[in-house]
Amino acid sequence: ARPSSLIFLYLSALQHLGPVWFLRRLWLQAERSFGWLERRCPLQTWDQIQVPDDYAARWRRSAPCLPIAKIDRAFLAPHVEAWAVENGHSPVADADLLALGRFRIFNHDLFDAGVQPRWQTSVLNGASVDASVHWTKLSDASTTDIKGVWELSRFAWVYPLVRAWVLDGETRHVERFWALLEDWMQANLPNRGPQWMCGQEASFRLIAVGYALQAFRSHPATTDARVLLTARLATATVERIRAHLSYALSQQNNHGISESLGLFTAGALWPQLEGSAGWRDQGLETLFPQVDALVDTDGGFSQHSSNYHRLFLQLMSWAEVVLIAEGERLPPHTRDQVSQATEFLLNLMEADGTVPRYGADDSADLFPLSGVPAHDFRPAVGAAQALFLGSRPVAGPWDEASLLLVGPMPITTRSEAGGGQVDCLAAGVGVLRNYRGAAFMRMPSAWRYRPSQADQLHVSLYWDGAWLTEDVGTFSYRGGPAEDFGSAVHHNVVTQAGRGPMRKAGRFLWLPWVPCIRQSEPLGFCASLRDLAGATWTRRVLRLPQGFVVVDQVHASAAADSCELRWHGRTRAGLERLSVVCSESSAETWISADTQTGQGFFAPRYGRREPSWTRRLTAAGRTVTFVTALGCAIDLRPDAVWVDGLPYPL
């Protein structure tokens, strides 16, 4: 990069992130370089973590019981079996695959990790990470995508084992859980290797173990020795989280929420361990201010991501379930904010459970407790509805997640998804709906927290039960724009001379934080922005009874600049349903599976990309207008666009 570009980026980062952010980064580097973190998290064996010999008996008497521990399996089994029949897939099948060493990764594909799993091997490319050194000696920015190494150790495999045991009551599922946990602990001594690098990953793991321990609480396979094993895991996890909690809180996203809940979970579900009351209190004391700060007035969440919004709801649902088991609830103000966040995602959701994808997406699904696909948000939203809104979605197999996490609740009110117009100004998202579909638009008018992607003015179109155009997802956080799919060219937007509104300055940092300027539009939404070279772009999304019209007007910074309109979709046939016209002479190109730019790909889950289609129109001129229509015929004239014979002024 040219020196002037670097200076621009540094000044932009200082403006948006502030000097405290830079000081925290310097302090983090000092902690690692001088070994301070290593001294706070010493290498040790599991036997060195002291737990009283009689702890298991005291735990059985004093640990609160979650719903999964209190409900008779004979009551649950018929429900789980009926939902398995409806889905056409039984959890017993996934549980038995685990016995063969085959794990479902990123809630999607199967991966052969071996009967004795290779915990330090990436499920993405087979690369291994050294598990013999202290975690501070490793970097998550290496050539290996660390998320592939962490995936099996998130313990998502716990949940199909619990579901399978609920369905058929077979001891082999319980024994498989304990065998895998014991093997993991033998292969991952405290603070040694990649599985201790991230406090959030450690928290997810502890929540899964806590849930399974509750489910198998009264089973003979849950011996006193195994209860002691989980107590040691809880203690080591707490030590890891507390050693670096300030860093997680500084992220101002799910990391701080997760790690606070890791502390709370350890203190609440393993009471009477030395310090457990303090862990619990510290977890809640750091959790509540984060919710207050990170949830917008309209229910949006700081990470600008529909999938991470789901993760936030799952984390808060877990907090409420554990508190209820203790005889408490979230404070009223916190509950109100989580209720708003639940309403937010419910309002974005279509009747089939899908939501418009936007922002970074690592396929996180904390509680895969139903057999529906991961892109169906009804399991997570349904559980949050039950806890925070006192309502439920239309009945279906997605109810399994709510039943197994929250338990049966006396709820009669049903809340339908996908109703009406949504305009969340603070979160920067909006949805227009008619009888055949929906148009989703990203239009953040201010940035309180760092942008997730360069997706300003992106539009996704849902039509006749399918997303014809959409955000293509996230392939990998490790590489450049051709892998993370976060740049403007990977969104349904207009770019000028290949430029987007922001530059990528780090794996998770885009600069500068360019806002959208909202304008009045009686038929829908209108917003504009200015790119880094001074070009301006205004996008109007019109909702008509018969369809949708998207009008893009670009004022280029130079007449020779090319203007490119891109629409991304999984199928060419879907994109061909769009009618697109331009005010200038234009060229149309269809792109599929371009590995150099990453265009023409779709990521169904993190770490996997499949060929899809990008439809690109290119034109040049000082002022260029593109018009895209779905469900109606258009004719572009100098002063208006005619839609099915009626004029709409430009």
Side-chain angles (χ1 to χ4, degrees), residues 159-176:
Y159 303 100
L161 289 171
V162 172
R163 294 174 60 224
W165 174 78
V166 167
L167 192 154
D168 64 14
E170 292 291 332
T171 294
R172 71 179 186 275
H173 308 310
V174 187
E175 288 288 1
R176 186 61 187 163

Side-chain angles (χ1 to χ4, degrees), residues 69-217:
K70 294 190 292 185
I71 307 170
D72 190 345
R73 195 192 65 79
F75 168 80
L76 295 173
H79 296 284
V80 175
E81 184 176 15
W83 288 321
V85 171
E86 188 172 348
N87 278 322
H89 181 77
S90 170
V92 174
D94 272 357
D96 287 343
L97 284 171
L98 286 169
L100 301 175
R102 303 191 70 195
F103 292 72
R104 198 165 294 281
I105 59 172
F106 300 107
N107 299 299
H108 201 281
D109 298 331
L110 287 170
F111 174 78
D112 188 357
V115 175
Q116 196 165 21
R118 301 181 296 276
W119 299 110
Q120 321 307 343
T121 298
S122 172
V123 301
L124 298 175
N125 60 12
S128 296
V129 176
D130 188 356
S132 66
V133 299
H134 194 275
W135 62 265
T136 58
K137 307 299 183 185
L138 302 170
S139 171
D140 61 1
S142 66
T143 55
T144 297
D145 188 339
I146 196 63
K147 290 190 66 62
V149 180
W150 288 343
E151 176 61 16
L152 297 184
S153 296
R154 279 193 168 188
F155 282 22
W157 45 265
V158 160
Y159 303 100
L161 289 171
V162 172
R163 294 174 60 224
W165 174 78
V166 167
L167 192 154
D168 64 14
E170 292 291 332
T171 294
R172 71 179 186 275
H173 308 310
V174 187
E175 288 288 1
R176 186 61 187 163
F177 162 73
W178 287 114
L180 285 170
L181 177 62
E182 290 164 349
D183 186 77
W184 186 91
M185 292 181 69
Q186 184 177 359
N188 294 277
L189 299 181
N191 298 314
R192 192 184 300 270
Q195 308 307 341
W196 297 95
M197 292 168 63
C198 178
Q200 174 170 249
E201 300 296 319
S203 298
F204 290 165
R205 184 163 54 241
L206 187 66
I207 288 171
V209 170
Y211 182 79
L213 181 61
Q214 290 283 323
F216 305 141
R217 182 174 185 146

Side-chain angles (χ1 to χ4, degrees), residues 241-496:
I241 293 171
R242 296 181 86 182
H244 216 204
L245 182 60
S246 60
Y247 174 73
L249 297 176
S250 75
Q251 299 299 296
Q252 298 180 313
N253 58 25
N254 273 320
H255 279 263
I257 300 282
S258 302
E259 296 190 32
S260 294
L261 281 172
L263 293 178
F264 168 66
T265 298
L269 296 189
W270 285 271
Q272 297 186 13
L273 284 175
E274 184 179 355
S276 61
W279 306 342
R280 178 192 179 279
D281 292 345
Q282 184 181 14
L284 294 180
E285 287 167 2
T286 53
L287 174 66
F288 300 149
Q290 288 183 86
V291 176
D292 185 56
L294 302 183
V295 176
D296 290 325
T297 54
D298 50 26
F301 184 62
S302 66
Q303 278 185 276
H304 310 286
S305 160
S306 51
N307 197 68
Y308 284 137
H309 194 115
R310 171 172 64 177
L311 177 59
F312 169 73
L313 289 186
Q314 291 177 316
L315 288 164
M316 297 311 298
S317 295
W318 173 256
E320 183 76 334
V321 166
V322 176
L323 282 168
I324 290 173
E326 294 183 315
E328 299 186 26
R329 302 294 291 265
L330 289 169
H333 179 63
T334 303
R335 278 183 56 84
D336 287 345
Q337 289 181 288
V338 180
S339 297
Q340 285 182 308
T342 305
E343 290 272 16
F344 176 91
L345 206 54
L346 179 63
N347 289 334
L348 293 188
M349 193 166 65
E350 298 300 324
D352 61 2
T354 61
V355 302
R357 291 177 99 182
Y358 69 94
D361 183 352
D362 72 349
S363 300
D365 184 3
L366 189 61
F367 297 115
L369 282 169
S370 73
V372 303
H375 62 253
D376 189 334
F377 276 42
R378 284 173 292 189
V381 175
Q385 278 184 257
L387 286 167
F388 303 114
L389 301 180
S391 64
R392 52 162 293 173
V394 174
W398 43 87
D399 289 331
E400 182 180 358
S402 182
L403 180 61
L404 296 184
L405 181 65
V406 179
M409 297 187 73
I411 295 170
T412 57
T413 304
R414 292 185 178 180
S415 182
E416 300 287 344
Q421 177 173 330
V422 179
D423 189 357
C424 298
L425 184 63
V429 302
V431 179
L432 303 170
R433 290 189 172 95
N434 63 21
Y435 78 104
R436 291 190 66 179
F440 166 82
M441 186 172 178
R442 278 282 290 151
M443 42 191 170
S445 56
W447 297 101
R448 287 203 305 145
Y449 301 103
R450 59 186 178 184
S452 176
Q453 296 186 343
D455 63 352
Q456 295 96 319
L457 303 188
H458 167 92
V459 167
S460 293
L461 296 170
Y462 182 81
W463 194 251
D464 290 344
W467 291 98
L468 300 188
T469 74
E470 58 186 316
D471 185 301
V472 299
T474 301
F475 173 51
S476 173
Y477 289 155
R478 179 185 61 83
E483 290 191 312
D484 71 7
F485 297 165
S487 65
V489 298
H490 296 102
H491 290 91
N492 301 323
V493 300
V494 174
T495 58
Q496 293 87 53

